[in-house]
Amino acid sequence: MAGGGGGGKSDEPAPHPPKDQLLGVTYCITSPPPWPEAILLGFQHYLVMLGTTVIIPTALVPQMGGGDTEKAEVIQTLLFVAGLNTLLQSLFGTRLPAVIGGSYTFVAPTISIILNNRWNDTDPIEKFKKTMRAIQGAMIVASTIQIVLGFSGLWRNVARFLSPLSATPLIALAGFGLYEFGFPGVARCVEIGLPQLIIVVILSQYVAHMVHSGKPVFEKFSVLISIAIVWIYAHLLTVGGAYNHTPPKTQTSCRTDRSGLIDGAPWIRVPYPFQWGAPSFDAGEAFAMMMTAFVALVESTGGFMAVSRYASATPLPPSVLSRGVGWQGIGILLSGLFGTVNGSSVSIENAGLLAVTRVGSRRVVQISAGFMIFFSVLGKFGAVFASIPAPIVAALYCLFFAYVGSSGLSLLQFCNLNSFRTKFILGFSLFLGLSIPQYFNEYEAINGYGPVHTSGRWFNNMVTVPFSSEAFVAGIVAYFLDNTLHRHDGTVRKDRGKQWWDKFRSFHTDTRSEEFYSLPFNLNKYFPAV
């Protein structure tokens, strides 16, 4: 009987062992691909980050009074600053292959400044410049919150209380929470968006595994190939007159010649600080933007963690994360000085691209930063790529945001999913993370203003912005519950997966941290991570 029982037990399926580094990545953070391949992969990252870089100024600049020329100049500036910030982050910040670009989180307080009606200039260009200077002032003040929290080490102390359980909802909704930018964007021009979605999935998931050429070309360049195919198809529809008699909204979404960027962009222009004039400051607007910068900080924490996973690096030591937050604060300061009309945070779409290509090399993202700076200076050439129709970008978002969300769910491998405490924290934080922002967004869509509606627009934003962010709500709820609920129970520490991250609590407790996150030029000697 004993022998039979033992034989039966050996046949039971074993669970998948938890891995603190993701396997199956072709090039990890410290292993660069060959130069030709790295340049193509870097260009692919540049194309992906263009989506947010173009969409945000296209929506905001006309409301500020600017025309096509101002829109092109703002896009160039945003692209230039994104290139600088990405280089700074990969060299001196977290050292992860994270693209630091524009963020939708900053849009709400920016619109609030635009609608303030402080400027009633008859000249729209003068109104644009005055509005831009007010946005710059708010950004400059808001950057201090990330600079202080990051470089003082305060965010390091906060991050030390994170566990795999409390990080899961934060990272998951940093990706899944952006669902409104996915298929709804595809549906704006379904004859372009849907083919893009289908082709990129077929190339990256099916063809990549069917064609065994020794080199995973379709896996690495599926985004580049699919964009080229669908962009040519969209251009043929445009020149063939398919959209000549359609409503203006359809033409804006579908046509390849409607953005006005190519005509408005100068041949060569180098963005510079205070190009729109000296910033103006308003206390209320600054407070609203500071709250927004804090929300972006929390969201970027989830973004950095997703990037570290897909770069096949070990979990971020809290001190390295805090250093990255400080440099991101400098990124927001640069956004304010140059006048980008938007703040800076980790690009979630580029984090997803790391997963699609399975290339997490730091060099690739540094090359993409070079492309950003190069094409921001050569305006006409950059404008050609920036005129890619938005539904093509939205189709790619469906894939990228899904990958980032799933990287959060993958942390559950360290947790005990048979614990009722785990189930409650996980389910409750994810549910509120989706439900609370839905209430705020729905209320605003119906009434034209949020649930908090006072005469101080800045105060309304201070309440509305955090509760409209899925990742922020889920992350804060999970963090609070995980650190207060039955915390001193002996089994809880193991259930929440904390013991798996103990060796990464400090920079020096795991030798791999030195390999992945140490500063270049022997700077760790002067700026030691703890």
Side-chain angles (χ1 to χ4, degrees):
M1 288 295 289
K9 196 157 188 177
S10 65
D11 292 337
E12 285 182 12
H16 295 288
K19 302 284 184 186
D20 50 28
Q21 279 182 266
L22 185 64
L23 304 179
V25 174
T26 313
Y27 296 102
C28 77
I29 183 171
T30 52
S31 57
W35 277 103
E37 200 174 310
I39 289 167
L40 271 178
L41 287 163
F43 183 70
Q44 196 167 236
H45 270 281
Y46 160 73
L47 280 185
V48 165
M49 68 80 60
L50 268 181
T52 308
T53 306
V54 172
I55 289 168
I56 293 173
T58 300
L60 297 179
V61 170
Q63 296 183 57
M64 296 162 66
D68 284 343
T69 302
E70 286 71 35
K71 184 167 67 173
E73 287 176 354
V74 170
I75 289 170
Q76 279 181 268
T77 306
L78 184 51
L79 200 53
F80 184 81
V81 171
L84 287 180
N85 288 337
T86 301
L87 276 178
L88 290 172
Q89 189 64 241
S90 64
L91 285 170
F92 308 116
T94 56
R95 305 227 64 212
L96 286 168
V99 171
I100 308 297
S103 169
Y104 292 108
T105 307
F106 288 90
V107 169
T110 305
I111 289 175
S112 187
I113 294 172
I114 294 168
L115 299 178
N116 210 349
N117 293 328
R118 276 193 285 164
W119 308 279
N120 295 313
D121 291 86
T122 51
D123 181 9
I125 304 305
E126 199 57 38
K127 184 191 172 190
F128 163 78
K129 287 183 177 178
K130 286 181 178 177
T131 310
M132 176 64 88
R133 295 202 288 265
I135 295 167
Q136 285 182 260
M139 289 281 180
I140 290 167
V141 175
S143 67
T144 56
I145 191 165
Q146 290 198 15
I147 292 170
V148 170
L149 286 175
F151 290 133
S152 69
L154 286 170
W155 199 247
R156 175 190 68 214
N157 297 335
V158 172
R160 280 188 172 151
F161 289 96
L162 269 172
S163 70
L165 177 57
S166 56
T168 294
L170 170 63
I171 305 169
L173 291 198
F176 297 144
L178 297 169
Y179 59 85
E180 64 195 275
F181 299 107
F183 200 81
V186 172
R188 281 180 192 155
C189 188
V190 76
E191 63 268 31
I192 291 173
L194 199 56
Q196 172 65 43
L197 182 58
I198 292 167
I199 290 170
V200 76
V201 168
I202 289 172
L203 289 178
S204 64
Q205 306 302 318
Y206 290 92
V207 177
H209 295 282
M210 282 161 36
V211 178
H212 302 288
S213 62
K215 290 185 178 180
V217 174
F218 292 103
E219 195 173 81
K220 289 178 186 170
F221 303 111
S222 57
V223 171
L224 212 54
I225 296 166
S226 61
I227 287 176
I229 293 169
V230 179
W231 196 10
I232 291 167
Y233 161 66
H235 188 65
L236 290 174
L237 286 178
T238 302
V239 298
Y243 304 114
N244 286 354
H245 306 292
T246 54
K249 207 171 178 182
T250 305
Q251 294 200 30
T252 304
S253 297
C254 301
R255 293 184 72 99
T256 55
D257 59 358
R258 285 287 292 177
S259 62
L261 291 177
I262 298 171
D263 292 335
W267 280 102
I268 295 176
R269 181 180 179 273
V270 180
Y272 55 92
F274 309 121
Q275 56 192 330
W276 319 110
S280 61
F281 297 90
D282 178 89
E285 290 167 357
F287 280 124
M289 202 64 84
M290 282 179 85
M291 175 53 83
T292 307
F294 181 69
V295 173
L297 185 163
V298 173
E299 292 173 345
S300 289
T301 299
F304 281 131
M305 288 177 160
V307 170
S308 71
R309 191 82 186 143
Y310 285 131
S312 194
T314 50
L316 272 165
S319 58
V320 173
L321 175 62
S322 193
R323 187 175 73 199
V325 164
W327 278 101
Q328 188 171 274
I330 287 177
I332 297 173
L333 177 62
L334 288 174
S335 298
L337 294 174
F338 279 82
T340 63
V341 91
N342 194 246
S344 302
S345 71
V346 176
S347 168
I348 299 298
E349 53 268 37
N350 287 85
L353 180 59
L354 297 176
V356 174
T357 59
R358 301 192 188 183
V359 176
S361 167
R362 186 188 294 133
R363 180 182 289 172
V364 166
V365 166
Q366 288 170 339
I367 290 169
S368 81
F371 276 118
M372 293 173 213
I373 294 169
F374 178 77
F375 283 117
S376 69
V377 173
L378 295 176
K380 290 281 187 199
F381 294 102
V384 171
F385 298 112
S387 63
I388 295 171
I392 292 179
V393 177
L396 296 173
Y397 285 173
C398 294
L399 200 60
F400 300 149
F401 296 158
Y403 261 125
V404 172
S406 65
S407 77
L409 298 181
S410 72
L411 296 183
L412 292 173
Q413 64 184 301
F414 304 114
C415 307
N416 177 13
L417 290 175
N418 292 317
S419 156
F420 276 97
R421 179 186 182 275
T422 302
K423 290 178 188 296
F424 167 69
I425 292 173
L426 181 66
F428 189 65
S429 58
L430 284 172
F431 184 82
L432 285 188
L434 292 168
S435 190
I436 291 175
Q438 175 65 19
Y439 164 70
F440 272 76
N441 294 333
E442 210 170 83
Y443 193 101
E444 191 162 354
I446 293 168
N447 299 290
Y449 50 83
V452 178
H453 184 55
T454 67
S455 57
R457 201 187 284 268
W458 61 271
F459 180 77
N460 302 342
N461 277 326
M462 285 187 73
V463 178
T464 304
V465 169
F467 287 111
S468 299
S469 167
E470 287 86 353
F472 182 84
V473 173
I476 294 296
V477 170
Y479 185 87
F480 175 78
L481 292 174
D482 191 38
N483 285 291
T484 56
L485 198 61
H486 317 314
R487 189 162 172 241
H488 300 294
D489 190 322
T491 59
V492 163
R493 182 176 176 77
K494 197 171 180 183
D495 288 349
R496 62 202 284 247
K498 192 69 175 153
Q499 80 280 8
W500 288 97
W501 281 9
D502 277 347
K503 57 186 169 185
F504 308 109
R505 186 178 165 86
S506 171
F507 184 77
H508 299 290
T509 46
D510 191 283
T511 53
R512 291 169 294 177
S513 296
E514 185 88 24
E515 178 192 351
F516 297 137
Y517 303 116
S518 61
L519 291 169
F521 317 121
N522 206 23
L523 286 173
N524 266 64
K525 190 172 167 186
Y526 308 102
F527 304 101
V530 293

